[in-house]
Amino acid sequence: MTTPLIEATALSKHFEVGGGGLFGLRKPATLKAVDEVSFTIKAGETLGLVGESGCGKSTLGRLLLRLIEPTSGRVAFDGNEITGIGRMEMRGFRRSMQIIFQDPYGALNPRMSVEDIIAEPLLIHGARMNAETRGKVAQMLEKVGLPARALDRFPHEFSGGQRQRIGIARALVLHPRLIVCDEAVSALDVSVQAQIVNLLQDLQREMGLTYLFIAHDLSVVRHISDRVAVMYLGKMVEVADKATIYAAPLHPYTQALIAAVPAQHPAQRSRGKRQRIVGDIPSALNPPSGCRFHTRCPHVMPVCRETAPPLRTTAPGHQVACHLIDP
Ligand SMILES: Nc1ncnc2c1ncn2[C@@H]1O[C@H](COP(=O)(O)OP(=O)(O)O)[C@@H](O)[C@H]1O
Ligand code: SF4
Ligand SMILES: [Mg+2]
């Protein structure tokens, strides 16, 4: 077996929140944003990561890139452990791993020209603003489908889709290997979403990129993903290839998410009859005991309230965490 590009093992991130407050009365508490999550991403593949807002997707993406430090667990990049390594050693990996955010406007400095924005990662990694750097920036701009005259313009002069193209050019200018796309198209109109997804796929083929593609709903990740991972309250509940996730999901939460996706063909309409999800997502600060989905699950059994189901392999490449499923 070839080494995966990313291997996360029992990765956790806990935030200490509360405490303080007036007279220090609020009790400090531990929020388990990501709780013992393990998975791999192969070189050249796209893993879609879905789940409702607050379930820990962004935290997990940031952990992979070591933008935040894990509470416990490990991340290996191309077979190299990057969890405990020092700043200098990490620098070598930094340029290989980049992130694209939902809000390119927030991520792009409004006072910098497009040329300076795209050149900045090169300068941070030791390049000078010379003809070679300008050449790389111009080439990248063309790759993302923006005209050369955009170089001396500023972010506010562009539409949302064009700004996302600038964000992509900035993320790709160092020729990274892994890109975390954190809700990168979630704020765009559906037609613009499709254009950006197509662009990301073209760039993936051309530059041999590997993606972790984060979105809160399953319809957005459908086109681009090879495999899909589903998270619920800090836990990974199901991982499978795309065809399996959409046609034969096993976890009741995944089934509910699929039921919420608008049908593309009339033949798929029967999906709407599947159990839809009810109730609000519980607080991550005080998650339900046992299976965290038990307060909303239509199939809940007594064991579900007591014991958390482990993520188990049910078929090659298919993992599910649910007491209903016998491995
Ligand atoms: N820096 C932080 N301090 C405290 N809590 C945080 C912090 N970052 C995220 N959280 C909490 O962790 C949980 C997961 O957040 P996040 O990873 O942003 O979820 P998602 O991206 O799936 O919406 C949420 O409950 C969020 O409030
Ligand atoms: S473990 Fe129980 S509560 Fe959790 S998803 Fe499975 S059946 Fe539902
Ligand atoms: Mg997020």
Side-chain angles (χ1 to χ4, degrees):
M1 224 182 89
T2 49
T3 312
L5 187 67
I6 280 287
E7 180 162 24
T9 310
L11 204 52
S12 296
K13 180 66 184 180
H14 300 171
F15 293 109
E16 300 304 324
V17 293
L22 199 56
F23 310 117
L25 286 179
R26 230 177 315 134
K27 268 209 326 209
T30 302
L31 188 153
K32 296 182 176 176
V34 172
D35 199 13
E36 305 244 331
V37 167
S38 302
F39 65 100
T40 59
I41 313 178
K42 281 184 291 197
E45 93 168 328
T46 298
L47 179 69
L49 180 63
V50 297
E52 286 159 289
S53 178
C55 71
K57 305 179 297 295
S58 295
T59 303
L60 184 56
R62 288 178 167 84
L63 285 171
L64 289 191
L65 304 191
R66 235 187 116 193
L67 297 174
I68 51 175
E69 298 294 333
T71 306
S72 59
R74 302 192 308 274
V75 178
F77 181 83
D78 204 13
N80 303 290
E81 181 86 34
I82 59 167
T83 313
I85 65 175
R87 274 186 56 155
M88 287 313 287
E89 211 182 332
M90 193 59 211
R91 255 182 93 88
F93 290 103
R94 283 252 176 266
R95 60 184 304 151
S96 302
M97 337 164 88
Q98 298 289 324
I99 187 162
I100 304 171
F101 296 100
Q102 166 168 7
D103 171 19
Y105 201 43
L108 306 178
N109 185 334
R111 281 181 291 277
M112 279 167 75
S113 71
V114 169
E115 181 171 54
D116 288 340
I117 287 169
I118 301 175
E120 193 177 41
L122 292 166
L123 303 186
I124 288 170
H125 284 271
R128 304 214 168 179
M129 199 58 176
N130 53 22
E132 189 190 343
T133 296
R134 291 204 157 87
K136 285 182 181 169
V137 171
Q139 197 186 27
M140 216 45 247
L141 200 70
E142 196 188 327
K143 268 197 209 296
V144 300
L146 289 172
R149 64 175 186 280
L151 282 173
D152 48 14
R153 304 272 174 88
F154 291 84
H156 72 266
E157 300 178 63
F158 297 88
S159 69
Q162 288 169 328
R163 283 200 290 261
Q164 198 51 286
R165 288 175 194 266
I166 299 168
I168 292 168
R170 178 183 159 92
L172 295 189
V173 74
L174 288 165
H175 287 260
R177 297 179 65 195
L178 174 74
I179 307 284
V180 171
C181 304
D182 191 355
E183 309 266 8
V185 301
S186 301
L188 304 173
D189 292 343
V190 175
S191 61
V192 183
Q193 268 186 3
Q195 289 166 16
I196 298 294
V197 164
N198 286 338
L199 171 67
L200 287 168
Q201 285 186 303
D202 290 346
L203 292 167
Q204 179 171 42
R205 276 190 290 272
E206 198 180 322
M207 301 176 70
L209 300 167
T210 303
Y211 291 143
L212 178 71
F213 194 89
I214 300 175
H216 51 267
D217 88 77
L218 270 162
S219 57
V220 173
V221 305
R222 182 177 203 134
H223 190 62
I224 198 168
S225 301
D226 298 303
R227 290 189 300 133
V228 177
V230 181
M231 275 184 90
Y232 189 77
L233 281 178
K235 287 281 192 193
M236 212 160 253
V237 298
E238 185 161 10
V239 188
D241 60 71
K242 174 166 66 176
T244 306
I245 280 283
Y246 288 90
L250 288 176
H251 197 283
Y253 181 59
T254 315
Q255 291 173 352
L257 288 180
I258 298 280
V261 174
Q264 288 181 327
H265 305 290
Q268 294 177 316
R269 296 265 155 81
S270 63
R271 275 198 184 142
K273 294 198 197 94
R274 269 205 193 122
Q275 202 85 34
R276 279 178 191 272
I277 197 159
V278 289
D280 290 331
I281 189 163
S283 161
L285 256 180
N286 189 14
S289 60
C291 172
R292 290 183 185 181
F293 189 55
H294 87 247
T295 53
R296 299 164 89 189
C297 182
H299 309 289
V300 59
M301 304 171 286
V303 62
C304 306
R305 299 191 176 89
E306 306 277 321
T307 314
L311 191 67
R312 288 181 301 201
T313 300
T314 59
H318 194 173
Q319 294 168 295
V320 188
C322 172
H323 290 303
L324 282 175
I325 315 297
D326 283 325

